[in-house]
Amino acid sequence: KRRDIDMHRFLWQPKTGTFNDFDFTRHRSSTYVYISSLYPLWAGVATREEAAKMESTLSLIERKGGLMMSDTNTGLQWDDPYGWAPTNWIAVSGLDTYQFHDDAKRISQNFTATVDRGLATDGTIREKYNMEGDSQKVQVAIGYKSNEVGFGWTNSVYLKMKELVSGKE
């Protein structure tokens, strides 16, 4: 109960319709649009009204290949244009739980199609994908630059998204 109260007090931003990080040192909310703002749907802590506002912000991070990590291109792997299977699944699962089935299916179809294209291109399933280019090609400018092959989380998320799309959950 206390966690729910504090999440709404410090993280919920009604003007933007998002749950944002909060900087307790500077006493202010982040303005950075990030995929984790959708996590309260997965955790079941958003009200129905909050969920509707959150759903309306999808266009900020949704691209042809799925959901990007953020709307800011910093050159880091955890930002635009890259997307990761676990974060896409948490968002999709939350959307589906709150009855945004069309959004959940569309994002799942786009993400699995991106994985399929990568598999057809080089025979691999990768750690992360380029959501704007809907491919496994990544060019991270700063920090960890590889795109590892054979990630179990991508495999399992791919299967869960295929189940969601087919209605066989």
Side-chain angles (χ1 to χ4, degrees):
K1 179 88 172 146
R2 180 70 192 178
R3 181 179 298 160
D4 186 79
I5 291 168
D6 286 344
M7 285 179 71
H8 284 88
R9 178 178 171 205
F10 293 107
L11 307 180
W12 175 245
Q13 303 301 310
K15 288 181 183 177
T16 59
T18 56
F19 281 86
N20 293 357
D21 290 337
F22 189 84
D23 184 335
F24 284 95
T25 304
R26 294 185 178 101
H27 305 285
R28 66 179 182 217
S29 178
S30 170
T31 58
Y32 198 77
V33 177
Y34 208 74
I35 195 170
S36 60
S37 69
L38 298 168
Y39 287 15
L41 296 176
W42 173 81
V45 297
T47 66
R48 184 71 191 146
E49 180 183 78
E50 290 166 348
K53 287 182 179 181
M54 293 165 69
E55 186 267 346
S56 73
T57 68
L58 284 174
S59 64
L60 298 173
I61 59 170
E62 186 176 358
R63 297 297 182 268
K64 183 179 175 185
L67 298 175
M68 300 186 306
M69 296 302 294
S70 79
D71 71 341
T72 304
N73 189 326
T74 61
L76 295 169
Q77 68 173 350
W78 293 103
D79 280 318
D80 167 5
Y82 305 118
W84 298 66
T87 58
N88 268 257
W89 177 249
I90 290 170
V92 162
S93 178
L95 288 163
D96 198 50
T97 297
Y98 276 84
Q99 309 304 308
F100 298 111
H101 302 301
D102 291 343
D103 294 315
K105 285 184 179 183
R106 181 186 65 253
I107 294 164
S108 293
Q109 287 170 328
N110 292 341
F111 188 85
T112 57
T114 299
V115 174
D116 288 340
R117 274 187 290 283
L119 185 61
T121 299
D122 69 5
T124 65
I125 293 178
R126 298 289 178 143
E127 170 186 32
K128 57 187 167 280
Y129 290 87
N130 182 322
M131 299 292 100
E132 288 184 354
D134 68 322
S135 74
Q136 81 284 12
K137 295 179 182 173
V138 300
Q139 295 179 331
V140 177
I142 303 166
Y144 177 78
K145 296 179 182 174
S146 69
N147 191 8
E148 301 301 319
V149 173
F151 258 59
W153 65 32
T154 304
N155 300 337
S156 59
V157 165
Y158 176 90
L159 293 174
K160 291 300 290 178
M161 286 184 171
K162 284 291 198 179
E163 284 178 6
L164 189 145
V165 170
S166 70
K168 295 181 181 177
E169 285 190 279

